[in-house]
Amino acid sequence: ANSYALEGETEFLAGDIPTAVEAYRKAANLEPNNSTIWAELARIQTYSSNLLTTDAEKKQRLEEAIQSAEKAVEINPEDSTAQAILSLTYDWYSNPLYSGSEAENFVFKAEQASGKALQLDSNNVLAVAFRAEIYMRQLRYSDALDFAERAVAIDNTSFDAYRVYGFVLESQGGRYGEAIEAYKKAAEINPNLTFIHLSIGVNYRQLRQYDTALEYFALAARINEQNGVADPIP
């Protein structure tokens, strides 16, 4: 199981998320009572939804992520990271495209899981970062920025912290240059996740630096091509 988990982590860093998901699934099959493996599977399943091409596929993948995260919390409800990742899965699924009329309920469930994660460990970088993302969903801009800044202060090597920090800055309006810097730090930590390069490109486009934006879109397309990911968005 540890070997499969290590393979999953390695493939995730390489940007081959479908293979990473499969490796973590194999690890979970071998150690079905390991909450850490289920939680990490849920995190990668959530991110992998960004690589799928239709809303139906994304909805299904996020539902799989929720199942994995709920399994992790069921095994160990006192695991702060498992609760944090559960909050991530609920938050991403709360998009009305996926959850429909239940959207607000999933935001509430995300907030509950996030609160439990922070109660268990107030300095858990994932718990703090994902709380910032939930605050953005609730349009609580000041709270979102506060928690996003806290997350990168807790761990300046966390991909998740810088991803969320970039997202919060981008959403504040007019802070595109700062968002680019945060996304670039996330890309330094994991240079093979295409959606980060797309986010950088989108922010350069907002700054009307079109040639630079195109470079990042092209980079995302090349990474997908290398990994055999058929995603039309780049």
Side-chain angles (χ1 to χ4, degrees):
N2 286 337
S3 296
Y4 279 121
L6 184 59
E7 180 190 350
E9 182 182 351
T10 304
E11 296 291 358
F12 179 67
L13 291 172
D16 189 349
I17 296 185
T19 303
V21 168
E22 190 57 33
Y24 271 107
R25 277 184 177 144
K26 289 176 180 176
N29 285 336
L30 288 169
E31 277 192 24
N33 292 317
N34 187 323
S35 66
T36 301
I37 289 174
W38 281 107
E40 192 57 27
L41 172 59
R43 174 175 168 265
I44 292 177
Q45 284 173 319
T46 303
Y47 285 148
S48 74
S49 69
N50 261 336
L51 300 178
L52 300 174
T53 54
T54 69
D55 290 336
E57 289 175 312
K58 292 179 180 183
K59 173 183 168 71
Q60 182 180 347
R61 182 58 55 83
L62 288 171
E63 287 171 350
E64 292 169 1
I66 287 172
Q67 290 174 2
S68 298
E70 288 178 342
K71 180 72 173 176
V73 168
E74 177 188 333
I75 293 166
N76 185 3
E78 303 303 305
D79 183 342
S80 174
T81 296
Q83 293 281 359
I85 292 171
L86 180 62
S87 77
L88 170 73
T89 65
Y90 285 152
D91 178 54
W92 280 40
Y93 193 70
S94 70
N95 186 324
L97 283 171
Y98 313 131
S99 51
S101 61
E102 288 291 300
E104 286 189 20
N105 182 45
F106 276 98
V107 174
F108 175 71
K109 291 170 75 169
E111 192 172 20
Q112 278 191 314
S114 172
K116 178 68 173 177
L118 290 166
Q119 181 185 359
L120 291 166
D121 182 359
S122 60
N123 287 316
N124 184 322
V125 64
L126 295 183
V128 175
F130 297 154
R131 184 55 168 248
E133 202 163 15
I134 293 166
Y135 280 143
M136 278 307 309
R137 185 82 62 185
Q138 299 170 324
L139 306 181
R140 295 171 59 176
Y141 299 107
S142 178
D143 291 329
L145 185 59
D146 176 49
F147 270 72
E149 289 173 342
R150 275 182 56 194
V152 295
I154 290 169
D155 184 357
N156 64 3
T157 66
S158 169
F159 166 81
D160 301 84
Y162 278 112
R163 176 191 67 78
V164 172
Y165 190 34
F167 168 66
V168 169
L169 288 168
E170 178 183 1
S171 304
Q172 297 283 323
R175 302 186 70 171
Y176 304 119
E178 293 171 88
I180 287 168
E181 292 309 308
Y183 282 135
K184 282 184 175 178
K185 287 181 178 175
E188 287 173 11
I189 297 165
N190 192 329
N192 294 307
L193 291 182
T194 52
F195 59 84
I196 290 296
H197 299 298
L198 292 178
S199 295
I200 295 171
V202 165
N203 280 271
Y204 272 120
R205 188 176 62 190
Q206 290 286 356
L207 295 174
R208 302 186 179 217
Q209 297 183 32
Y210 300 117
D211 288 343
T212 308
L214 285 168
E215 289 174 11
Y216 279 93
F217 296 148
L219 174 59
R222 283 198 304 275
I223 292 170
N224 275 352
E225 187 177 354
Q226 290 165 4
N227 286 326
V229 175
D231 180 4
I233 292 176

